Amino acid sequence: MASLAVIILTFNEELHLARALKGVAGIANEIFVVDSGSTDHTKEIATQYGAKVVEHVFTNYAKQFQWALDNCPITSDWIMRLDADEIIEADLAAEISRNLPNLPNEVVGINLKRKLVFMNRTINYGGRGILVLLRIWRRGQGHIEDRWMDEHMVVQGGTTVTFNGGFADHNLNNLSFFTDKHNRYATREAVDVLNQRFGFMPREESLSVEASSYQAAIKRFIKEKVYNRIPFEFSAAGYFLYRYFFLLGFLDGKEGLIYHVLQGFWYRFLVGAKLVELTLTIEGMRDSQAIAKELAKQTGLRIEANFPRLTASKSS
C-alpha cells in the first residue's frame, strides 16, 4: 500500500483546520501542520486530530512550504500539499486511496481539479471555475517554486496524471478578511513584479508544463509577458470586462458579481497602484541590497537579497 503525508501551513486557522483534517483522515499516514505563530486554537485542533505540529517563522508561502519539505520527518511515499481552507471530498479521498498504490513508477505527480466556493456559491465562470493543480507527488521528486506569489509545485523524473474527485477551496471568513488578505497579496505581488524587473532576489522564472499543467503555464505566460506590460489603469478594467462578460462571469449571480469585481478588478488595480508606489520608493537605486532593504521597510515583509551586493539592471 502506498503511504501519504499531508502538509498544511497555518496561521490562525481554527475556523477551517478541523474540516481539512477530517477530509484527509482516512488517507493520510502522516499529517504535518506547519504553524507560523497562531494565537487561536489552531495548534490544539491539529493535535486533537493527530497531526504533528511544527513551528517556523513565516517569510512567504513558497519558502515556508519548502522549509516544511526539507525539515519535516516525512517517511511516506507520497506527499500532498493542502491549504487549511481546502476540502478533500469523499469521492476524491476514495479515488486517492484506490489509485495511489497502483500508479506505475513513471508517474511522479498527481493533479487535482479544484473548484472555488465563494460566499457559499460555487464560481463556475469568469475563468475561475475548475483549476488543475499539482498537489500530490512522490517524496524526493517535488519542490515548490521560489516565488513571492503564484508559486506552483514542480516535479522531476516522470509524468503526471489527473484525478477527478471533488476538491474545493472554500474559505469561511467574511469579506473583511477577504479584502485584508488580498491587500496583503497585492503587496507581495507588487514586490514579485519588481523582482522580475530588477532581480534583487532569486526567483524561478519558468514553470515546467510537465510538472503542473498547461493551464497554469499559459496563465503565467500571459500575465508576465502581456498583462504586466500594460498600464494598470487599463489592464485592470480590461481584465474585469473580459472575465465578467466574455468569460460569462455574470452567470455566477450576485455572489459572482461581488467576487469578480473584488478579485478581478479591485485586486488587480490595487496591485498596479502598489507597484507604482513602490517603484517610486526605489527610484534611482541599482544595488540589490539597498532595494531589498527599502522594500522591506516600506512593506513590512521579510525581504532579503539572498546573494552578495550586485548591481540590479532593469529588464523589459
Side-chain angles (χ1 to χ4, degrees):
M1 293 295 292
S3 53
L4 176 68
V6 177
I7 299 176
I8 304 175
L9 305 188
T10 59
F11 176 72
N12 289 343
E13 287 288 357
E14 65 179 7
L15 184 60
H16 301 110
L17 187 57
R19 185 186 65 181
L21 294 173
K22 288 177 184 176
V24 297
I27 59 174
N29 301 84
E30 303 172 294
I31 302 176
F32 296 93
V33 169
V34 182
D35 191 73
S36 52
S38 291
T39 56
D40 63 1
H41 295 97
T42 294
K43 288 178 282 187
E44 292 90 329
I45 293 170
T47 301
Q48 289 170 9
Y49 281 86
K52 300 175 184 178
V53 179
V54 184
E55 297 191 59
H56 187 254
V57 177
F58 188 88
T59 298
N60 59 41
Y61 191 103
K63 292 186 182 300
Q64 187 80 335
F65 197 86
Q66 189 59 48
W67 182 91
L69 287 178
D70 294 338
N71 292 276
C72 289
I74 301 170
T75 61
S76 297
D77 302 320
W78 294 83
I79 301 173
M80 172 190 285
R81 168 186 171 184
L82 185 69
D83 291 345
D85 60 356
E86 292 176 336
I87 308 166
I88 300 296
E89 298 177 6
D91 63 331
L92 177 57
E95 186 177 5
I96 293 171
S97 180
R98 180 176 63 252
N99 294 340
L100 200 62
N102 301 316
L103 293 174
N105 291 333
E106 62 266 23
V107 174
V108 299
I110 302 167
N111 300 309
L112 304 181
K113 296 181 176 180
R114 191 183 72 180
K115 63 186 175 184
L116 171 66
V117 182
F118 178 78
M119 297 181 71
N120 292 320
R121 179 177 184 135
T122 300
I123 302 299
N124 292 311
Y125 300 96
R128 303 299 294 183
I130 297 296
L131 296 180
V132 180
L133 304 169
L134 190 140
R135 287 305 188 89
I136 304 174
W137 60 94
R138 291 189 189 271
R139 178 165 57 95
Q141 292 185 263
H143 75 277
I144 194 166
E145 294 175 296
D146 187 8
R147 300 167 61 96
W148 274 85
M149 286 292 292
D150 192 32
E151 68 288 322
H152 292 273
M153 294 306 307
V154 177
V155 292
Q156 60 279 333
T159 61
T160 64
V161 296
T162 300
F163 287 176
N164 295 307
F167 177 39
D169 174 359
H170 186 183
N171 193 289
L172 300 173
N173 285 296
N174 60 23
L175 286 176
S176 293
F177 178 91
F178 180 92
T179 53
D180 287 344
K181 180 178 74 172
H182 280 76
N183 181 39
R184 295 192 299 271
Y185 281 178
T187 301
R188 289 164 51 189
E189 185 163 348
V191 168
D192 195 53
V193 174
L194 285 174
N195 191 36
Q196 184 181 0
R197 293 179 181 178
F198 293 99
F200 52 88
M201 293 186 296
R203 179 179 186 272
E204 289 194 41
E205 294 293 340
S206 62
L207 174 68
S208 167
V209 175
E210 175 191 70
S212 185
S213 69
Y214 286 99
Q215 182 188 54
I218 292 171
K219 284 186 175 182
R220 175 175 295 175
F221 178 85
I222 294 173
K223 180 179 177 182
E224 295 189 351
K225 303 302 181 182
V226 180
Y227 181 91
N228 285 346
R229 300 185 181 189
I230 302 172
F232 78 95
E233 53 268 50
F234 301 111
S235 59
Y239 179 57
F240 167 73
L241 293 173
Y242 172 72
R243 271 175 54 165
Y244 197 67
F245 293 103
F246 186 80
L247 296 181
L248 307 179
F250 62 88
L251 294 178
D252 285 317
K254 183 184 295 184
E255 296 84 0
L257 174 63
I258 296 170
Y259 176 76
H260 293 301
V261 168
L262 290 179
Q263 205 276 336
F265 174 70
W266 171 78
Y267 171 67
R268 299 309 325 165
F269 192 92
L270 186 61
V271 171
K274 290 196 175 199
L275 184 57
V276 171
E277 179 184 49
L278 292 177
T279 300
L280 290 174
T281 68
I282 61 171
E283 189 173 13
M285 294 183 182
R286 289 294 179 266
D287 180 84
S288 63
Q289 296 283 352
I291 292 174
K293 182 177 180 180
E294 182 60 27
L295 290 177
K297 175 183 176 182
Q298 294 295 327
T299 64
L301 298 173
R302 292 168 52 87
I303 302 172
E304 297 180 358
N306 295 322
F307 36 76
R309 298 173 70 89
L310 297 173
T311 299
S313 59
K314 185 174 180 179
S315 60
S316 59

